[in-house]
Amino acid sequence: MTNNDILRRIRYAFDIKDNTMVDIFALADYQVTAAQVSAWLKKEEDDDFITMKDRELAAFLNGFISFRRGKREGAAPKPETHLTNNMVFQKLRIALNLKADDILAVFEQVDLPLSHHELSAFFRKPSHKNYRECKDQILRNFLLGIQRQMRPESSGH
């Protein structure tokens, strides 16, 4: 999954307007313009499309955590310059304040049952022997499940 795709899916699932997207970046002390946000949300074929860098998505996700849970005291965390799907998954878990059972329920909605052990492996340090890389399919299904929870009219059920 591309960073742009992740941003588009989060925006759609939570029905976030462009100006609110700019505000979310600002919560992470990261300044962007509405034009930048618009370019990131466009499809790859569009002439105005701009590829979103890891640092930009990390800033958005950090801001999204503050947006959903309230801004913490002190300086905003610095956005990472390299993101993995595991890191994206972890930031979304924090932003949405999800416990393991909540996440497993999200995966049940998209007919992708996981065990507690499989799930916890995604949130381990990469050096841990039971660490498991979060593949695109897992992250895509998680975002789809969240979308179905947040926008039940879009689930097609």
Side-chain angles (χ1 to χ4, degrees):
M1 288 184 74
T2 67
N3 292 340
N4 299 70
D5 193 31
I6 292 167
L7 186 71
R8 278 191 293 270
R9 288 168 185 259
I10 293 169
R11 178 183 191 268
Y12 180 75
F14 294 94
D15 194 21
I16 304 171
K17 306 290 179 239
D18 287 7
N19 58 343
T20 305
M21 301 280 286
V22 172
D23 294 342
I24 290 172
F25 277 99
L27 288 171
D29 297 335
Y30 201 88
Q31 302 309 310
V32 300
T33 64
Q36 279 176 291
V37 170
S38 178
W40 288 326
L41 294 170
K42 294 194 181 307
K43 294 289 184 197
E44 286 80 0
E45 312 82 56
D46 196 301
D47 290 342
D48 296 330
F49 172 82
I50 297 174
T51 300
M52 184 177 219
K53 295 178 175 62
D54 283 356
R55 181 180 177 87
E56 295 160 340
L57 181 60
F60 174 79
L61 292 169
N62 291 347
F64 191 59
I65 290 170
S66 296
F67 178 71
R68 297 283 303 188
R69 300 191 60 171
K71 195 152 171 56
R72 291 169 59 185
E73 293 294 316
K78 293 277 181 247
E80 294 83 355
T81 55
H82 175 73
L83 272 184
T84 65
N85 283 350
N86 296 65
M87 294 163 77
V88 171
F89 196 3
Q90 174 74 345
K91 286 178 182 287
L92 288 170
R93 180 179 94 153
I94 293 167
L96 302 175
N97 200 19
L98 297 174
K99 307 287 180 255
D101 287 336
D102 302 327
I103 297 170
L104 294 175
V106 168
F107 282 112
E108 286 288 332
Q109 283 199 332
V110 292
D111 299 321
L112 188 73
L114 290 178
S115 72
H116 276 275
H117 295 295
E118 289 173 306
L119 181 62
S120 67
F122 295 128
F123 301 118
R124 297 190 184 281
K125 288 189 178 357
S127 58
H128 192 281
K129 68 180 176 97
N130 292 329
Y131 170 84
R132 182 171 162 208
E133 182 186 338
C134 180
K135 303 280 190 204
D136 284 352
Q137 177 191 9
I138 297 290
L139 189 56
R140 189 177 297 114
N141 277 293
F142 175 70
L143 288 166
L144 178 60
I146 291 296
Q147 174 189 316
R148 288 182 179 172
Q149 280 187 345
M150 300 306 295
R151 298 180 70 140
E153 77 283 1
S154 71
S155 67
H157 288 33

